[in-house]
Structure formats: structure tokens, C-alpha cells
């Protein structure tokens, strides 16, 4: 199996439905409304997806829950051939934005991840993500948590959530705080809003954009992204499942790559979108006639854009090449 690098994965969004149901049962929390008859997550559109996501996350109430989640997610990643991934973590969900609580959650997640890596499994790094529709004040608190715990494991800062909420510019303080702490920067943009939002994200000084696919609607922006070397964390299956594009052939990842933009492939929230990175590669191979050479290029691009330190990158590169 192709060894893979995944840059865009929400830890809670990667929680298998059976795992979430198990925790809900243990804690007598009723979230039965978020599942369909087959036991999959059920939602009708993006806003509803965010609500279902937050309901699923409500069963994760302790650092130990997050340690279990990390192990469950890395098991899925290993099965897809992933050798390195970065996951989004939110102090909002891990301790409600309180620094001391966040430190406990983060250590539990990190310890679980490092045990998996020591046993030969995927190497994981964390990116603190503020949630746009939770507002600027909570984003600042998230950035402070990120800055206080920045280092060799917690390596990035970003923003996710409802792209229609607030203005990206208002989150500049949070991004400046994270940059000063040495964190890599990424922002969800150009998923639900158009090219102008991608331009706003670039003003925050990010090196990567989460999704960014709607840049395709502005040829000058596409050229600018290619020249600047901005890396897009593209999640085609997520975009198609949420109705952004009708099918794989209509997805702009092919044209973006053809115009020189650095694209990478991730799953976003795999069980929500009934996908895996293996499935993403299969569908892309069918839609764009991409071969192993293209996927190797995408993985090298992803590793070069990873927020980890050089020693980690070199170790992962050896695993990518040793196929
Ligand atoms: N949070 C989890 N998945 C997301 C997505 N695709 N867009 C914005 N926020 C998210
Ligand atoms: Zn995302």
C-alpha cells in the first residue's frame, strides 16, 4: 500500500461512530439523534454537520477519553497506510479553553500518540484549531493555549468551523500570537466562501490553506497561490459528501494541480463522509487518471509542508521512500 501523509484531520471528526456510541452508553448521554438506522453519522448540510460534530464531541469529557480516541483514530490511519499525520485539536472541546485543563488533555493525547509511534505506527503531530463560529474571544484563548504548549509535538495553529461567521481579519491577533510562539499556520478558507476568503487567509500569514478549492474561481488567485507556493489541504471526499461539488470529476483538485498549485489530499472527518485516505486515492486515480507517481509527488509535497521539525521530517521521508 502507498505510504501516505495526511495534513488535514479533525481528531473528533475522525471518531468512529461505534466509538462515540460506546462512550455515550458508558456516560448515559443520549445522542441517538445524530445517527441513521445503519449507525452512521446523519446530517443534511454543512451547518447540520457542524451541529452533529459538536454533539458527537460532547461525549468526550476527559483526557482519558481523548487518549482512547487518539488510539482509535491512529488505528484507522495505520490501516490506510498513513505514516505521518497532523490532527486538529481544539482547547474549546478539550477543557473549555482553560489552560490548565488543556495541558492535561494535550498530555494525554500526546502520550497516546507517542506510544503508537514507538510501536511502529503512524507519527502524529497536533495543530490547535480555534472554531470560527465560537467567536474572537474564544479564538484568542485557544491561541494562548497553543502558544503556551507550542513545541515539538504541538506544531501548528489554525481556524475551522463556519466560514460564514465573522471576518477572518478579526482573528489576526490569534494568528500573530501563534506565529510568535513559532507555530506553523493554516486556515480553513475557500470551502464555503469564495476566492476573496482565500485572499483574507493569506493576509494572516498562513503557509497552508484548509480546502482552498474555491480559489479555482479566480485565475489570478490560482496563479498567485502557485507562485507563493501555498499548500492546499484538499479533502475532495468531504467536499463531495457536503455537496460542494457533484462528483469526483467535477472537483477542482485536478485543475488546481495542473496549474501548478501545491495540492495535498486528506480526509477531514473520514467517518462523517464515509471515506478513508485509501478511498480518496482510488477515486482520484479514477477521476483524473493519476498514477503512483502523482500520489508520491502529493505525499512529498505534504511532508515538505508538514509543521514538524526537521529530524521528524527526515525520519518520515525514509518511511515514504522505503516502499
Ligand atoms: N470542522 C470539521 N470539519 C470541518 C470542515 N470541513 N470545515 C470547517 N470546519 C470543520
Ligand atoms: Zn477541516
Amino acid at each position: 500500500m502507498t505510504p501516505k501523509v495526511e495534513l488535514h484531520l479533525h481528531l473528533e471528526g475522525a471518531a468512529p461512530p461505534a466509538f462515540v456510541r460506546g462512550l455515550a452508553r458508558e456516560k448515559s448521554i443520549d445522542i441517538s439523534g445524530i445517527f441513521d438506522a445503519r449507525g452512521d453519522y446523519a446530517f443534511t448540510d454543512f451547518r447540520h454537520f457542524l451541529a452533529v460534530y459538536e454533539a458527537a464531541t460532547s461525549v468526550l469529557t476527559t483526557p482519558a477519553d481523548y487518549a482512547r480516541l487518539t488510539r482509535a483514530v491512529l488505528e484507522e490511519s495505520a490501516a490506510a497506510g498513513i505514516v505521518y499525520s497532523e490532527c486538529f485539536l481544539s482547547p474549546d472541546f478539550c477543557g473549555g479553553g482553560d489552560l490548565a485543563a488543556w495541558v492535561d488533555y494535550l498530555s494525554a493525547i500526546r502520550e497516546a500518540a507517542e506510544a503508537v509511534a514507538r510501536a511502529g505506527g503512524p507519527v502524529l503531530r497536533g495543530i490547535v484549531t480555534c472554531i470560527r463560529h465560537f467567536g474572537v474571544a474564544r479564538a484568542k484563548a485557544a491561541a494562548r493555549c497553543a502558544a503556551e504548549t507550542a513545541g515539538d509535538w504541538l506544531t501548528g495553529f489554525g481556524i475551522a468551523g463556519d466560514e460564514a461567521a465573522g471576518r477572518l481579519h478579526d482573528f489576526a491577533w490569534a494568528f500573530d500570537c501563534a506565529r510568535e510562539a513559532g507555530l506553523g499556520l493554516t486556515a480553513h478558507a475557500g470551502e464555503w466562501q469564495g476566492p476573496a476568503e482565500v485572499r483574507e487567509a493569506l493576509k494572516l500569514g498562513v503557509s497552508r490553506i484548509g480546502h482552498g478549492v474555491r480559489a479555482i474561481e479566480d485565475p489570478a488567485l490560482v496563479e498567485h497561490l502557485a507562485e507563493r507556493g501555498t499548500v492546499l489541504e484538499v479533502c475532495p471526499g468531504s467536499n463531495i459528501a457536503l455537496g460542494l461539488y457533484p462528483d469526483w470529476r467535477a472537483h477542482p483538485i485536478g485543475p488546481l494541480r495542473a496549474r501548478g498549485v501545491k495540492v495535498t489530499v486528506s480526509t477531514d472527518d473520514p467517518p462523517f463522509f464515509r471515506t478513508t485516505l485509501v478511498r480518496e486515492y482510488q477515486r482520484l486515480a479514477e477521476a483524473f487518471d493519476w498514477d503512483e507517481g502523482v500520489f508520491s509527488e502529493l505525499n512529498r509535497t505534504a511532508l515538505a509542508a508538514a509543521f514538524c521539525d526537521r529530524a521528524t521530517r527526515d525520519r518520515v521521508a525514509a518511511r515514504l521512500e522505503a516502499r
Side-chain angles (χ1 to χ4, degrees), residues 232-272:
L232 302 189
E233 306 155 4
V234 185
C235 309
S238 159
N239 298 154
I240 293 160
L242 287 170
L244 204 51
Y245 299 103
D247 57 46
W248 289 78
R249 288 170 81 92
H251 195 280
I253 189 171
L256 284 165
R257 175 175 172 270
R259 294 186 209 171
V261 177
K262 288 186 176 175
V263 298
T264 60
V265 180
S266 296
T267 55
D268 212 5
D269 310 282
F272 283 83

Side-chain angles (χ1 to χ4, degrees), residues 1-4 75-82 276-278:
M1 191 169 11
T2 317
K4 304 172 183 73
E75 213 171 286
E76 301 289 331
S77 297
I82 292 163
T276 64
L277 208 45
V278 172

Side-chain angles (χ1 to χ4, degrees), residues 8-10 88 160 188 191 210-211 235 238 268-269:
H8 189 118
L9 181 73
H10 299 262
F88 296 125
H188 280 62
E191 180 189 17
H211 301 283
C235 309
S238 159
D268 212 5
D269 310 282

Side-chain angles (χ1 to χ4, degrees), residues 43-275:
F43 47 89
T44 50
D45 57 18
F46 179 60
R47 290 265 167 74
H48 190 203
F49 156 76
L50 289 176
V52 167
Y53 183 107
E54 284 162 29
T57 301
S58 72
V59 307
L60 296 156
T61 56
T62 67
D65 294 339
Y66 268 87
R68 279 165 73 182
L69 173 63
T70 304
R71 286 189 286 273
V73 169
L74 286 172
E75 213 171 286
E76 301 289 331
S77 297
I82 292 163
V83 295
Y84 175 88
S85 58
E86 293 184 356
C87 70
F88 296 125
L89 303 169
S90 303
D92 292 285
F93 299 135
C94 299
D98 175 72
L99 176 61
W102 162 247
V103 167
D104 288 345
Y105 277 84
L106 181 64
S107 344
I109 295 165
R110 178 179 180 158
E111 274 167 32
E114 288 183 338
V116 170
R118 275 196 304 275
V123 171
L124 184 69
R125 292 293 182 266
I127 299 174
V128 161
T129 307
C130 65
I131 311 293
R132 189 158 167 170
H133 54 276
F134 290 175
V136 172
R138 288 173 73 178
K140 285 184 178 173
R144 280 191 211 101
C145 286
E148 289 294 331
T149 52
D152 58 347
W153 199 86
L154 196 283
T155 56
F157 181 77
I159 184 166
D162 188 351
E163 217 187 316
R167 292 173 314 166
L168 218 37
H169 170 77
D170 293 333
F171 295 87
W173 186 93
F175 278 81
D176 290 345
C177 169
R179 182 186 312 101
E180 282 163 23
L183 291 161
L185 301 179
T186 177
H188 280 62
E191 180 189 17
W192 297 102
Q193 300 292 309
E197 200 64 14
V198 175
R199 291 185 188 275
E200 285 302 311
L202 295 180
K203 288 187 199 156
L204 295 172
V206 300
S207 61
R208 300 180 354 201
I209 304 254
H211 301 283
V213 286
R214 290 195 55 196
I216 196 73
E217 296 164 27
D218 178 347
L221 176 61
V222 171
E223 202 172 306
H224 180 59
L225 290 172
E227 271 169 19
R228 188 179 181 270
T230 306
V231 171
L232 302 189
E233 306 155 4
V234 185
C235 309
S238 159
N239 298 154
I240 293 160
L242 287 170
L244 204 51
Y245 299 103
D247 57 46
W248 289 78
R249 288 170 81 92
H251 195 280
I253 189 171
L256 284 165
R257 175 175 172 270
R259 294 186 209 171
V261 177
K262 288 186 176 175
V263 298
T264 60
V265 180
S266 296
T267 55
D268 212 5
D269 310 282
F272 283 83
F273 307 132
R274 296 176 202 179
T275 195

